[in-house]
Amino acid sequence: MTETLSPALPHDIEALVEAVLKAADAGGVSLATAESCTGGLVASVLTDVEGRSHVFERGYVVYTNDAKAEELAVPLRLIDQNGAVSEPVARAMAEGALRTSGAGVALAVTGFAGRAGPGDEPGRVHFALAAAGAATVHEEHHFGDVGRGPCRIECLRVALRLLLTAVTIR
């Protein structure tokens, strides 16, 4: 059970956090995150369970394009060509986090948690998961204009589900 965030998290997310950490621990897999629209929320829940957080290697909060380029080596031309909220950028973020962290599994999330700019879709989020020796996995979700908080909670569900799948099939 998460210590700090428990009162605010739905029970299913608490269960996912515990399952991810337990499976990663049992498999000796370390985890990393690269987060934009979630602002470190995934990393926060993964480090909030006493006795299990040692499987978390590190997290990158890369909200700006420059941060994505500097911290994860995401090429700025890739962002310029596809937009920061795109499949190619999510994949590059996950692969960059895997490469720079030394973790066994890295999850990336980039999207519009709230109202986006003109022509952008609120609640559109890209997730990517990179694991040593495996192809990078991508998912795109459309949560709608539900607001920043509810969108970020949905992002947690998806991110934790992806991580759980990755650490249980290893």
Side-chain angles (χ1 to χ4, degrees):
M1 192 163 174
T2 61
E3 186 174 313
T4 309
L5 298 174
S6 189
L9 291 178
H11 294 294
D12 66 307
I13 290 178
E14 290 269 359
L16 279 169
V17 170
E18 180 61 30
V20 167
L21 293 173
K22 183 178 180 181
D25 191 18
V29 179
S30 59
L31 308 174
T33 60
E35 302 178 68
S36 186
C37 66
T38 50
L41 189 58
V42 179
S44 182
V45 300
L46 292 173
T47 59
D48 204 31
V49 177
E50 191 171 338
R52 295 269 193 214
S53 62
H54 61 277
V55 301
F56 187 75
E57 168 60 31
R58 70 185 75 179
Y60 302 89
V61 178
V62 288
Y63 206 70
T64 67
N65 294 345
D66 287 341
K68 290 172 181 66
E70 292 166 14
E71 298 296 319
L72 303 173
V74 175
L76 285 173
R77 72 175 186 345
L78 186 71
I79 297 170
D80 291 341
Q81 291 170 349
N82 299 282
V85 179
S86 65
E87 178 178 348
V89 170
R91 286 178 180 274
M93 287 171 60
E95 291 163 1
L98 185 69
R99 185 175 51 256
T100 60
S101 72
V105 173
L107 174 101
V109 56
T110 182
F112 302 114
R115 294 188 189 265
D120 293 326
E121 176 190 341
R124 181 170 57 97
V125 182
H126 289 267
F127 299 84
L129 187 125
T136 301
V137 174
H138 167 264
E139 287 188 10
E140 179 178 351
H141 289 262
H142 302 266
F143 300 117
D145 193 5
V146 296
R148 294 181 71 76
C151 184
R152 289 171 69 173
I153 293 295
E154 292 305 317
C155 287
L156 269 179
R157 280 191 179 96
V158 172
L160 292 166
R161 181 184 47 77
L162 284 167
L163 285 167
L164 183 58
T165 299
V167 297
T168 55
I169 61 170
R170 293 181 62 78

